[in-house]
């Protein structure tokens, strides 16, 4: 079976394909930046949490390390689901799932070390 590759001279619209690709690139880039921004907010806040909660150096390091370690391990099942369901399903799903722990951390999860760790595990996933 021979594959026929469409060319512009055959009257097919090439411009809409290019603009759709650009739209997908911009959407993916903005979505990634927002997700990463929410996840990366935790590390810069560690010194403030240290002062507010009187954390030791180990507890502060734990606050920084937990989302990184959990996020690294969480990539395995998320990657498997992405292979099965596709990126167009999983990317918005993961984005929406990130909203809940970020709101938890911002609104009520920061008065204690345990609350912060629970929120960070959720964000890492």
């Amino acid at each position: 079976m021979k594959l026929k590759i469409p060319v512009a001279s055959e009257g097919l619209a090439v411009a809409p394909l290019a603009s759709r690709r650009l739209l997908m690139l911009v959407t993916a880039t903005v979505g990634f930046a927002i997700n990463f921004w929410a996840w990366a907010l935790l590390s810069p806040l560690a010194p403030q949490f240290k002062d507010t909660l009187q954390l030791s150096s180990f507890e502060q390091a734990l606050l920084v390390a937990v989302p990184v370690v959990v996020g690294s391990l969480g990539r395995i099942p998320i990657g498997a689901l992405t292979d099965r369901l596709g990126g167009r399903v999983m990317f918005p799903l993961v984005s929406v799932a990130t909203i809940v722990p970020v709101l938890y951390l911002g609104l009520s999860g920061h008065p204690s070390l345990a609350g912060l760790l629970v929120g960070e595990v959720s964000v890492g996933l």
Side-chain angles (χ1 to χ4, degrees):
M1 180 162 149
K2 198 171 190 182
L3 259 164
K4 185 175 180 184
I5 300 172
V7 293
S9 63
E10 292 180 352
L12 295 175
V14 176
L17 180 62
S19 64
R20 183 173 174 180
R21 286 182 179 170
L22 180 64
L23 176 65
M24 288 189 304
L25 175 66
V26 169
T27 304
T29 302
V30 168
F32 174 77
I34 290 171
N35 284 324
F36 186 76
W37 175 51
W39 182 76
L41 280 175
L42 300 173
S43 293
L45 291 174
Q48 182 179 357
F49 290 140
K50 180 181 181 182
D51 296 339
T52 305
L53 301 173
Q54 282 103 31
L55 301 176
S56 68
S57 296
F58 174 77
E59 291 169 333
Q60 184 182 7
L62 190 65
L63 282 179
V64 174
V66 164
V68 174
V69 172
V70 173
S72 298
L73 296 173
R75 290 172 192 259
I76 297 168
I78 295 298
L81 285 171
T82 302
D83 282 345
R84 183 168 296 247
L85 302 175
R88 290 184 182 187
V89 172
M90 289 303 296
F91 188 65
L93 212 99
V94 170
S95 297
V96 169
T98 304
I99 293 171
V100 175
V102 168
L103 287 175
Y104 166 75
L105 284 171
L107 298 175
S108 65
H110 53 76
S112 70
L113 178 62
L116 281 171
L117 290 175
V118 167
E120 287 186 345
V121 166
S122 300
V123 168
L125 288 176

